[in-house]
Amino acid sequence: MGAAVAGWTVAAVLLQVAGLSLFLYGFFPVKPTLPGFSGAESYRAPSCGPVVGGEGPALPPDQLRSLYRELSEVPHVYDRLVLMVIDGLPAEFVLGRGGKPPAKEMMESMPYTQSLLAGCRAVGYHAKAAPPTVTMPRLKAMVSGAIGGFLDVALNFNTQAFLDDNLLDQLHTIGYKLVMLGDETWIKLFPTLFYRQDGVSSFYVKDTVEVDFNVSRHLESELAAKDWDALILHYLGLDHVGHIGGRQSNLMTPKLKEMDDVIRRIHAAVKSSQDSSHRTLLVVVSDHGMTEVGNHGGSSYEETDSLALFIGHSVESSYCSPYEQKEALQVDLAPTLALLFGIPIPKNNIGVLLPELFNSLTDDQKLRTLELNSWQILRLLEEQRPAFCSEDCVDSKDDFGVDMLPGSIEEKLCRLLSKAFASHRSSLLHRDSDFRSVEAAGLFGTAVDSYSGFLRHASEWLSHRATDKPLYLLVSAISLMIISCFSLAGIISCIFKGKSQIKAEHHSELDLDKHWHLDEVFILMGILIYVASLGSSSFVEEEQYIWHFLTSTLYLIFLMKTVQSMLKETNSTVVHRSEANMFRRNSSSYLASYKLTPGQQDGCKLYTVLIVLVAGRILRAWYQGGINWVHFPDISKILTQSDSSIVKSLQSISVLAVVVLYSVSLMLLRTRRILIIGLWLSHLSCGLLVMLHIWKSQVDTSTPINHSTTSIAQIFYVIASISVTCTFLLSPWIFPTHSKEAEPTSSSGSNPEKAHGLNHSVFLTGVTYTMFWCLLQLLLQQPINAIPVLLILLQIISSVIYFSLEKSLHRQWVQVVAMQFLGMTGHFGLGNTNSLASIDVAGAFIGISSYSTVLSGVLMFIITYGSPLLLYLGMVVHMSVKDSTDISTPQKWSSILNRMIALPCLLPLLINSIALTSYTIVLLLMRNHLFVWSVFSPKYLYVCAATVCTYAGVLIIAMTGAYTCAVFSFRTRNYRDKSVDQIDG
């Protein structure tokens, strides 16, 4: 029976993995792009024929540069480019927000930059970045003008060479020499382009000093050098400051001053070498912004608000409004720079040029830049919509009544384009006319407005256009998931039927109760409520409220049932005593050894449920809002603004409480074996290491790198790993398997009851898992999360005690589901949301001296899913309070293993399968929704990660139970064989 259940379960899981893989492959394809690179054809009007990839240039770089500038009919505005990328800098730090200047401390932090803006020598834009707001896809967007696929967020950690058309390749083609200093992502994207390079890792976020010094140390020599044409500087320190301390970090102001000084040095060097043949453009951009706590990856305003600041002669004017809210898109950088430097616009660009950068050009030249941008967008439109033909638009005789909006996007774009081309032609005809000053000016304005309207509408349509999904593949994937889900449900149903038959044979009236109880009905209704909530973007963004409601209501039902049972029991003392005696017979010796009177048991039940409810309410108040309501006041914000010593004290209290709870747990075993003493000492030493790490690290993490804390964390990892491994391997060997092997557990003599060595072993393993995991979380989590970790641990302990005392009141499946609810509530109680911005990147580098994709990825996963995994580990402790009597016969081992791990493994798999399958269907239905990439897709990544978390937790439960039972089965057979030999002898 056990082997069959295991086989069918593995088959169902593999089916689910296959379905999930197919859906990911079909739903998140790489966005289609036009092959090849733009060339001389980009300066000619497009035709309605098929778009063919451009061939490599046959001309030498100098001749190709001259050809491009001749065909463009627009003089190149600049000769040299300095592109300074300040990673993670929000635009509002420099340009303010809503037409208002930045905060006073921000303006004082960047005095030189503010003087350029106030003096009309620079122009700045709030350049909106498309989600996901992580570095690699944002750099691609800036240099190619194209928005990549959503899964670029995963590829961000394993950057591959960028092969699509882009600015750097175009500059390199016309003979520009490129120099890159800073983030090595550039080197990975363009491994062969740079004349000189010096890269640094962008992922070791604890470094806020060296990572920028490595760039600035080359600055003086590079600014004096004449052998480069484009200089790229990518500063990472400000992004790292945000990750480890948030926007309000003590390091933020010094870092802004450092960046302002770099801008001053570059601008001074540019002005001193400026002449008619070496005109240099300084562009200061950021790849994304950051949330209040310094993270990014989502689609909130704070994360997408990136900076685009241009400093050069073509933007200077006599009057300007420096803090006017100028909006742009990050992709607008590509066509703007391409036209400023006389190179073709990249083929897959959907950006629109920024007109303020072309003030030095004549009206005709400005119209020509808009025409070139429109031709490039047209080619992309014709590829995406073959029915769209620009020649039909140009040749149509229309009254240009744009106010009468047509039904289809093609007609609307065609009207705008036709009006732009016609106004442009008329403007050129009036160039030599005497009425130029009046009529030509009006035609110029009309042409600019029509071009701009066409470009913006076309750009918006291209950026929001959903990629065609292969529906047959997606439906097939969902079908596999549904089959897997029903398979798991069928396995659980078979287990329930088997248990019912066994209970019927024992004629147990209590166990034969087939009526649905309130807690069981609520769990089923709660799962339906959760599944229904997945179809709402608002509920997805604020999912924590669903889990807080489900968990608190379920435990309120437990409290009500407990009170009802207590009132019933007071009417029959005999029944109460018989149940108490049954409890002591069936319970593990580490609980039964503490003889509780009926009154004490009732009080303990009430206290444990109340602890769960009170702890849950505090967790609910710790982080009030999710994504939209993150501004709500809560406990975490109050503590963040308080003195750092308070947070340190709370961390220390949490560590001390975990160590004390582990010590009490070991005392329950009533044994002084060497392994127990060794575990206590190792846990105590790990607790001291965590305490030392806390006091050596500043709460606001203003210390960039501390090698001593790295060593402390590494020592902790080694001790904890050895301790947990030894416990798993050795605990089944140190406890007795038979009463004759049992040691006395009290001073009065030998224990008359059979020693439950199996329960003791599982209890020791489970509590070791749980307590060491808590210390690991206290080491890795943000300091503000120390108390929530402790509260989740208290909820686990209270639940295990409550379920061990109330075995007859709640069925086992209810107990397992209740603990899984606690795990999800704790997940959001630690500040996690369904936005990628809530992922704690800084904690993923604790104990790592250099960047490692695998190690940091594992730590990031451990931090994010600390609570669900903690509850799975607590499930091992819960397994130890199950009845495991009558283990002396070999045929009972399969039954014991089945009772121990079947439901704790299968129910989490089933609930996760329901959530995964339901949300996959929702995502398919929402594939054309406005929020598909900003809300539903990030949530799906979390659902996939939660699936991995469930597999990991179930694997730990199954391995622990199977290994422990296997060892006890082996030892029991050996003991029986020895006994038989002694009798025969």
mmCIF file of all heavy atoms in Angstrom, residues 8 160 209 372 426 439 530 627 797 873 929 966:
data_model
loop_
_atom_site.group_PDB
_atom_site.id
_atom_site.type_symbol
_atom_site.label_atom_id
_atom_site.label_comp_id
_atom_site.label_asym_id
_atom_site.label_seq_id
_atom_site.Cartn_x
_atom_site.Cartn_y
_atom_site.Cartn_z
ATOM 1 N N TRP A 8 2.362 6.452 -7.090
ATOM 2 C CA TRP A 8 1.350 7.299 -7.721
ATOM 3 C C TRP A 8 1.591 8.779 -7.419
ATOM 4 O O TRP A 8 1.349 9.652 -8.267
ATOM 5 C CB TRP A 8 -0.045 6.889 -7.252
ATOM 6 C CG TRP A 8 -0.568 5.671 -7.954
ATOM 7 C CD1 TRP A 8 -0.690 4.410 -7.457
ATOM 8 C CD2 TRP A 8 -1.024 5.607 -9.308
ATOM 9 N NE1 TRP A 8 -1.189 3.555 -8.403
ATOM 10 C CE2 TRP A 8 -1.411 4.274 -9.560
ATOM 11 C CE3 TRP A 8 -1.151 6.546 -10.327
ATOM 12 C CZ2 TRP A 8 -1.914 3.849 -10.784
ATOM 13 C CZ3 TRP A 8 -1.661 6.139 -11.559
ATOM 14 C CH2 TRP A 8 -2.029 4.808 -11.774
ATOM 15 N N GLN A 160 23.457 36.789 -21.040
ATOM 16 C CA GLN A 160 24.056 36.274 -22.261
ATOM 17 C C GLN A 160 24.322 37.430 -23.224
ATOM 18 O O GLN A 160 23.801 38.528 -23.070
ATOM 19 C CB GLN A 160 23.123 35.258 -22.917
ATOM 20 C CG GLN A 160 22.719 34.111 -22.006
ATOM 21 C CD GLN A 160 23.890 33.226 -21.624
ATOM 22 O OE1 GLN A 160 24.792 32.997 -22.420
ATOM 23 N NE2 GLN A 160 23.885 32.740 -20.390
ATOM 24 N N VAL A 209 31.285 50.774 -1.604
ATOM 25 C CA VAL A 209 32.438 51.673 -1.730
ATOM 26 C C VAL A 209 33.339 51.259 -2.885
ATOM 27 O O VAL A 209 33.531 51.993 -3.857
ATOM 28 C CB VAL A 209 33.239 51.713 -0.416
ATOM 29 C CG1 VAL A 209 34.471 52.593 -0.584
ATOM 30 C CG2 VAL A 209 32.368 52.231 0.725
ATOM 31 N N LEU A 372 12.372 60.045 -39.961
ATOM 32 C CA LEU A 372 13.211 58.840 -39.849
ATOM 33 C C LEU A 372 12.717 57.941 -38.724
ATOM 34 O O LEU A 372 12.691 56.703 -38.868
ATOM 35 C CB LEU A 372 14.667 59.248 -39.611
ATOM 36 C CG LEU A 372 15.382 59.947 -40.775
ATOM 37 C CD1 LEU A 372 16.773 60.412 -40.343
ATOM 38 C CD2 LEU A 372 15.488 59.019 -41.981
ATOM 39 N N SER A 426 4.038 69.727 -47.462
ATOM 40 C CA SER A 426 3.597 71.116 -47.651
ATOM 41 C C SER A 426 4.576 72.089 -47.013
ATOM 42 O O SER A 426 4.842 73.170 -47.566
ATOM 43 C CB SER A 426 2.206 71.305 -47.039
ATOM 44 O OG SER A 426 1.260 70.470 -47.668
ATOM 45 N N GLU A 439 2.325 80.696 -42.859
ATOM 46 C CA GLU A 439 1.749 79.411 -43.240
ATOM 47 C C GLU A 439 2.701 78.248 -42.996
ATOM 48 O O GLU A 439 2.296 77.189 -42.505
ATOM 49 C CB GLU A 439 1.342 79.460 -44.709
ATOM 50 C CG GLU A 439 0.531 78.237 -45.150
ATOM 51 C CD GLU A 439 -0.023 78.427 -46.553
ATOM 52 O OE1 GLU A 439 0.154 79.516 -47.124
ATOM 53 O OE2 GLU A 439 -0.629 77.469 -47.055
ATOM 54 N N TYR A 530 -10.018 31.431 -1.693
ATOM 55 C CA TYR A 530 -8.676 31.776 -2.167
ATOM 56 C C TYR A 530 -8.572 31.615 -3.678
ATOM 57 O O TYR A 530 -8.032 32.485 -4.371
ATOM 58 C CB TYR A 530 -7.642 30.902 -1.466
ATOM 59 C CG TYR A 530 -6.252 31.045 -2.038
ATOM 60 C CD1 TYR A 530 -5.557 32.251 -1.924
ATOM 61 C CD2 TYR A 530 -5.640 29.999 -2.719
ATOM 62 C CE1 TYR A 530 -4.289 32.402 -2.464
ATOM 63 C CE2 TYR A 530 -4.376 30.142 -3.255
ATOM 64 C CZ TYR A 530 -3.712 31.342 -3.126
ATOM 65 O OH TYR A 530 -2.466 31.487 -3.673
ATOM 66 N N ILE A 627 1.024 45.853 -1.647
ATOM 67 C CA ILE A 627 1.607 46.615 -2.755
ATOM 68 C C ILE A 627 0.964 47.995 -2.857
ATOM 69 O O ILE A 627 1.645 49.015 -2.841
ATOM 70 C CB ILE A 627 1.426 45.837 -4.078
ATOM 71 C CG1 ILE A 627 2.177 44.503 -4.008
ATOM 72 C CG2 ILE A 627 1.933 46.665 -5.257
ATOM 73 C CD1 ILE A 627 1.979 43.619 -5.215
ATOM 74 N N ILE A 797 4.789 25.834 17.747
ATOM 75 C CA ILE A 797 4.848 25.088 19.005
ATOM 76 C C ILE A 797 3.460 24.979 19.625
ATOM 77 O O ILE A 797 3.038 23.901 20.075
ATOM 78 C CB ILE A 797 5.827 25.779 19.980
ATOM 79 C CG1 ILE A 797 7.252 25.734 19.421
ATOM 80 C CG2 ILE A 797 5.775 25.122 21.354
ATOM 81 C CD1 ILE A 797 8.255 26.542 20.220
ATOM 82 N N LEU A 873 8.961 22.031 8.335
ATOM 83 C CA LEU A 873 9.853 21.433 9.331
ATOM 84 C C LEU A 873 9.106 21.188 10.632
ATOM 85 O O LEU A 873 9.327 20.183 11.316
ATOM 86 C CB LEU A 873 11.052 22.353 9.570
ATOM 87 C CG LEU A 873 11.948 22.636 8.352
ATOM 88 C CD1 LEU A 873 13.053 23.601 8.700
ATOM 89 C CD2 LEU A 873 12.518 21.344 7.789
ATOM 90 N N HIS A 929 -4.872 41.030 -20.480
ATOM 91 C CA HIS A 929 -5.243 42.028 -19.470
ATOM 92 C C HIS A 929 -4.185 43.117 -19.383
ATOM 93 O O HIS A 929 -2.996 42.883 -19.647
ATOM 94 C CB HIS A 929 -5.411 41.334 -18.108
ATOM 95 C CG HIS A 929 -6.102 42.165 -17.081
ATOM 96 N ND1 HIS A 929 -5.454 43.139 -16.354
ATOM 97 C CD2 HIS A 929 -7.389 42.169 -16.645
ATOM 98 C CE1 HIS A 929 -6.316 43.698 -15.512
ATOM 99 N NE2 HIS A 929 -7.488 43.132 -15.662
ATOM 100 N N ALA A 966 12.836 3.082 8.606
ATOM 101 C CA ALA A 966 13.725 2.036 8.086
ATOM 102 C C ALA A 966 14.747 1.617 9.133
ATOM 103 O O ALA A 966 15.000 0.415 9.325
ATOM 104 C CB ALA A 966 14.428 2.539 6.829
#
